[in-house]
Amino acid sequence: MKLALLSGAVALAGSGAAFADAHGGVTACLITKTDTNPFFVKMREGATAAAEAAGITLQTYAGAIDGDVESQVAAVETCIAAGASGILITPSDSRALAPVIGQAREAGLLVIALDTPFEPADTADATFATDNFEAGRLIGAWAAATLGDAAADARIATLDLNASEVSVDYLRNQGFMTGFGIEVNDPTDIGDEDDPRIVGSDVTNGNEEGGRTAMENLLQIDPSINVVYTINEPAAAGAYEALNAFGLTEQALIVSVDGGCPGVQDVAEGIIGATAMQFPLLMASLGVEAIIAHAADGTMPENSEGLEFFNTGVMLVTDQPVDGIESITSAEALELCWG
């Protein structure tokens, strides 16, 4: 994976010079869920660097909070009106955005979803993303293996994104359930499992305050919670704060998804047991390349073999490796992290 990422960066740098002269008139839009989450900050950095290398114009937009659909709709409409060649978007609500995305494609824009697939996936022309189900599966399998026989009596809390249950939310959650060995009912529904080990689920909006509040709520239901799944590392940091306030940090194992530098540092400090690292800079830079290629000759992005999206990779990060699950240490991850 490290070699693949380095090769991709070299290829991008080389292709940028070739594109600069021929495609100076190309405009791309990047629309993220927020502009504060380090994941989206790094995504913007990747898109900006790729656009500058290629000599194209990049316009960036973001919602005020995760779930701010109105701002994203307005941004898409602005990009259409501006005659952009393509849009890179992390949809806050993939269902609610579908109509305006259809308008963009009808206007001739290439639309690529980053990180969060649309529903259905072919709402966009392509998706560049982490395999979010696999990211969840990895941390779920790690948690079960770490607990060993005690996994049979686990008390599990899941700290999810929001009530919209967008694809990135349920894919990570259901991946975790599968990895832990919990039978999934509706794979697109969070919280419908019958397993008695699950204490409950709450939403965090993907931020620290939300994670703290959700953890406090669930601890009121059952103070014996000893496994905490979180949608991302900011939510995990909030969950740890709540556990610390209750004096339960030694009791609970926290797992998460992201791979941001603060989250990886939390792994190093034992706050998070394991996280699944994704690569937002690569998603965005490859997305810019795809828009340039499409503007040049109509080339369409291709999916990874056997998937409905282009897989930009995932790595398990933990300082407590288990047999049968490939992982890297927090020290190694600090050389690859973002934010």
Side-chain angles (χ1 to χ4, degrees):
M1 174 61 76
K2 293 178 187 177
L3 289 175
L5 291 174
L6 289 172
S7 298
V10 170
L12 178 62
S15 64
F19 285 136
D21 291 336
H23 303 293
V26 172
T27 296
C29 291
L30 173 68
I31 305 170
T32 54
K33 295 179 183 179
T34 72
D35 59 6
T36 55
N37 187 313
F39 182 85
F40 301 125
V41 171
K42 183 56 64 174
M43 188 175 281
R44 187 170 65 243
E45 289 177 8
T48 299
E52 290 177 352
I56 72 165
T57 299
L58 178 70
Q59 298 176 348
T60 62
Y61 306 87
I65 60 171
D66 200 319
D68 181 3
V69 177
E70 291 78 10
S71 292
Q72 291 199 317
V73 169
V76 173
E77 292 173 342
T78 299
C79 294
I80 296 171
S85 301
I87 294 172
L88 307 173
I89 183 168
T90 58
S92 286
D93 187 327
S94 59
R95 303 176 188 96
L97 281 159
V100 75
I101 293 301
Q103 293 171 26
R105 294 179 68 186
E106 288 172 7
L109 282 73
L110 180 73
V111 179
I112 299 176
L114 300 181
D115 179 54
T116 304
F118 279 94
E119 299 176 81
D122 62 4
T123 299
D125 292 293
T127 302
F128 290 179
T130 306
D131 186 336
N132 283 297
F133 184 89
E134 176 63 8
R137 190 199 67 79
L138 283 170
I139 57 175
W142 177 87
T146 299
L147 288 177
D149 292 342
D153 299 311
R155 306 298 296 154
I156 302 168
T158 77
L159 276 57
D160 302 290
L161 185 56
N162 57 42
S164 297
E165 294 191 18
V166 295
S167 54
V168 67
D169 200 6
Y170 67 68
L171 285 169
R172 292 181 186 181
N173 177 288
Q174 302 291 264
F176 167 81
M177 296 295 177
T178 300
F180 200 86
I182 292 171
E183 184 176 352
V184 170
N185 292 326
D186 181 346
T188 66
D189 189 16
I190 294 172
D192 71 339
E193 291 80 19
D194 303 315
D195 196 301
R197 292 176 291 181
I198 301 173
V199 171
S201 302
D202 205 344
V203 298
T204 66
N205 287 319
N207 60 50
E208 191 168 329
E209 181 180 355
R212 181 172 57 251
T213 300
M215 190 75 255
E216 290 170 350
N217 292 341
L218 292 169
L219 285 170
Q220 294 292 337
I221 296 172
D222 187 345
S224 70
I225 290 169
N226 64 351
V227 177
V228 181
Y229 155 84
T230 64
I231 179 68
N232 63 12
E233 291 156 1
Y240 181 83
E241 291 175 9
L243 288 162
N244 189 48
F246 280 77
L248 299 176
T249 55
E250 297 299 318
Q251 170 181 293
L253 192 64
I254 301 175
V255 294
S256 195
V257 178
D258 259 350
C261 294
V264 172
Q265 187 60 43
D266 282 348
V267 173
E269 295 176 9
I271 293 170
I272 297 174
T275 192
M277 174 179 277
Q278 48 186 345
F279 302 96
L281 188 149
L282 187 63
M283 291 178 200
S285 61
L286 290 175
V288 168
E289 275 199 79
I291 289 174
I292 294 169
H294 183 264
D297 57 18
T299 299
M300 297 296 292
E302 295 184 2
N303 294 333
S304 297
E305 185 176 355
L307 297 174
E308 294 185 345
F309 60 94
F310 182 87
N311 184 7
T312 53
V314 63
M315 292 182 186
L316 182 70
V317 179
T318 183
D319 289 331
Q320 304 171 57
V322 297
D323 291 339
I325 305 176
E326 185 177 357
S327 64
I328 60 173
T329 66
S330 61
E332 291 173 308
L334 284 170
E335 297 296 321
L336 299 170
C337 65
W338 42 266

